């Protein structure tokens, strides 16, 4: 197939007619044309209710415009809160100054004695994702329908949630408990099990930020910006802030309040950025451990409901094999992503992209992938530059690996039926 060539045109035209009929529902979505490497040159095609939408724009250094997406319910509902450890909301924070409650009085944003933490609300959305040849179709809607699943919005008992709480800050361990508050240095140099223990100490509804919700978030970001070059669209974060003199964390910045509301992006490569009020999603300064994606002897296995098993034995088999990497450990750059129902998109070989083409973010893998059990990591770290980003993955190390550039963050699940 020639570069840029589309496939199944007749099928797509038929499906577009269906989507136009469903616009009253409505259904939103896009096609990721994996065969097109240019991230904004036709790789992402809008379909459904947003077929003629203008993508959102984030101004580097402050400001953003939601444009056609201004009334999208998920974006309107995405607000910052202080949340109790049991997953119930306490109170809203001012969107442009988290040090204050909505009424202007002081918040608990930096209170390490607060029984809970700072989180932003991501409301439930249903997703349908499938492949047609090399094309990946992604559809979203807010009401349940045949073929649509609440991907990322199921708890470990497989009960559907009204939304999830995203961490506004990197996880920091205080008195053996993982926190999500301002003013603390992100956790580092802990094993996966040690991080799990600290997250469990936060509360019974706390999980690692990872797994299917990250895949849903990535697809939402692609859809809103109409590109796979998400660092250019939303900001580069602290992707290049490494400084050998700043032992022991070498440039990983302290959790701090960043102004500007829902999104804040910069292009200097050394600043904290925000996506959905979360510096974890926008800053790329530290790998986030994701034990819900395990590569076992070269086979990708996933947890679809935040069950924890670092052997991967109890996880769903994706059917995706990861080959050993000729020439040693290192970065590859995916251009093709394979749908895993109920989970999301997983990169598959061959890897013909780059930091600015295809998926635009890197995949770091092991030279002997078939001989290890690797626990995935997300987003990159402050020494990897453009190789990091929302889609960046690392399939290199076991659960016990614990250097300075690996941390964790809390995904907090509300009780069933509770919404913000």
């Amino acid at each position: 197939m020639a570069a840029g060539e589309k496939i199944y045109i007749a099928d797509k035209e038929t499906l577009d007619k269906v989507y136009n009929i469903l616009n009253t529902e409505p259904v939103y979505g896009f096609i990721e044309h994996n065969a097109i490497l240019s991230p904004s040159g036709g790789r992402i095609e809008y379909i459904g209710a947003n077929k003629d939408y203008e993508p959102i724009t984030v101004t580097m250094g402050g400001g953003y415009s939601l444009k056609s997406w201004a009334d999208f319910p998920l974006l309107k509902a995405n607000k910052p809160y202080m949340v109790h450890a049991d997953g119930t909301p306490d109170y809203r924070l001012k969107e442009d100054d988290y040090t204050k409650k909505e009424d202007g009085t002081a918040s608990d944003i930096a209170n390490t004695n607060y029984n809970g933490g700072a989180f932003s609300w991501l409301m439930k959305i249903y997703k349908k994702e499938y492949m047609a040849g090399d094309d990946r179709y992604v559809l979203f809607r807010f009401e349940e329908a045949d073929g649509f699943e609440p991907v990322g919005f199921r708890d470990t008992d497989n009960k559907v949630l009204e939304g999830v709480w995203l961490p506004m800050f990197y996880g920091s361990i205080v008195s053996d408990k993982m926190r999500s508050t301002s003013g603390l240095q992100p956790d580092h140099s802990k094993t996966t099990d040690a991080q799990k223990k600290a997250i469990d100490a936060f509360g019974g509804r706390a999980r690692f930020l990872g797994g299917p919700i990250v895949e849903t978030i990535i697809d939402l970001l692609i859809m809103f910006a109409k590109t796979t070059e998400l660092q250019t669209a939303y900001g580069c974060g602290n992707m290049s802030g490494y400084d050998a003199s700043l032992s022991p964390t070498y440039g990983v910045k302290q959790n701090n309040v960043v102004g500007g509301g829902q999104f804040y992006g910069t292009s200097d490569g050394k600043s904290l950025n925000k996506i959905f009020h979360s510096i974890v999603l926008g800053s790329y300064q530290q790998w986030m451990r994701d034990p819900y994606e395990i590569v076992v002897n070269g086979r990708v296995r996933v947890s679809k409901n935040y069950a924890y098993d670092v052997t991967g034995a109890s996880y769903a088999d994706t059917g995706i094999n990861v080959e050993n990497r000729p020439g040693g450990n290192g970065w590859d750059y995916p251009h093709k992503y394979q749908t895993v129902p109920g989970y999301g998109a997983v990169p598959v070989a061959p890897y013909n992209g780059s930091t600015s083409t295809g998926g635009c973010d890197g995949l770091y893998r092991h030279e002997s992938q078939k001989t290890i059990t690797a626990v995935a990591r997300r987003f990159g770290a402050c020494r990897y530059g453009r190789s990091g980003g929302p889609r960046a993955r690392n399939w290199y190390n076991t659960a016990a690996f614990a250097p300075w550039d690996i941390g964790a963050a809390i995904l907090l699940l509300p009780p069933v039926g509770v919404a913000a």
Side-chain angles (χ1 to χ4, degrees), residues 358-385:
C360 297
D361 296 335
L363 167 65
Y364 199 93
R365 61 188 177 114
H366 199 279
E367 62 183 342
S368 301
Q369 202 73 60
K370 292 184 177 181
T371 66
I372 65 170
T373 297
V375 177
R377 290 176 258 155
R378 299 276 189 170
F379 308 141
C382 63
R383 58 178 172 162
Y384 293 120

Side-chain angles (χ1 to χ4, degrees), residues 308-338:
Y308 178 83
D309 176 6
V310 292
T311 73
S314 63
Y315 289 179
D317 186 343
T318 65
I320 295 171
N321 292 315
V322 185
E323 299 300 320
N324 294 339
R325 187 178 189 277
N329 311 321
W331 287 100
D332 295 298
Y333 295 92
H335 76 285
K336 183 175 181 179
Y337 293 80
Q338 177 71 43

Side-chain angles (χ1 to χ4, degrees), residues 109-273:
I109 198 74
N111 180 6
T112 57
N113 292 317
Y114 179 82
N115 187 26
F119 296 86
S120 71
W121 178 249
L122 191 73
M123 69 178 288
K124 175 182 63 183
I125 191 167
Y126 292 91
K127 180 182 179 184
K128 183 176 183 178
E129 180 181 350
Y130 60 94
M131 303 297 294
D134 279 342
D135 289 347
R136 188 171 71 95
Y137 283 73
V138 180
L139 304 174
F140 289 103
R141 59 180 289 154
F142 290 99
E143 295 181 2
E144 192 172 4
D146 185 44
F148 285 78
E149 300 180 70
V151 179
F153 298 96
R154 291 185 184 275
D155 68 10
T156 310
D157 295 322
N158 286 318
K159 294 180 179 178
V160 177
L161 307 173
E162 296 306 306
V164 294
W165 295 109
L166 302 178
M168 291 171 61
F169 300 103
Y170 289 90
S172 302
I173 297 178
V174 179
S175 300
D176 298 323
K177 181 187 293 188
M178 192 73 80
R179 304 282 184 173
S180 178
T181 54
S182 178
L184 298 173
Q185 188 69 29
D187 169 54
H188 60 91
S189 305
K190 301 289 193 306
T191 66
T192 310
D193 283 345
Q195 291 171 332
K196 172 70 160 54
K197 183 177 180 180
I199 289 172
D200 287 346
F202 180 92
R205 302 295 288 177
R207 304 290 186 269
F208 283 85
L209 175 65
I213 196 61
V214 174
E215 295 305 313
T216 293
I217 288 169
I218 289 167
D219 281 337
L220 287 168
L221 295 178
I222 290 172
M223 183 171 71
F224 294 149
K226 202 178 181 180
T227 181
T228 52
E229 227 302 29
L230 298 178
Q231 284 176 300
T232 295
Y234 296 97
C236 296
N238 186 25
M239 64 174 189
S240 298
Y242 180 82
D243 186 334
S245 70
L246 298 177
S247 178
T249 53
Y250 301 103
V252 176
K253 294 181 180 294
Q254 187 181 78
N255 284 319
N256 279 312
V257 170
V258 176
Q262 191 172 23
F263 298 97
Y264 182 83
T266 60
S267 57
D268 64 6
K270 298 183 179 181
S271 300
L272 296 176
N273 289 186

Side-chain angles (χ1 to χ4, degrees), residues 2 52 62 81 129 165 222 248 278 289 314 347 368 386 411:
D52 298 316
Y81 285 79
E129 180 181 350
W165 295 109
I222 290 172
S278 170
R289 188 98 64 180
S314 63
S368 301
R386 285 282 184 174
L411 174 71

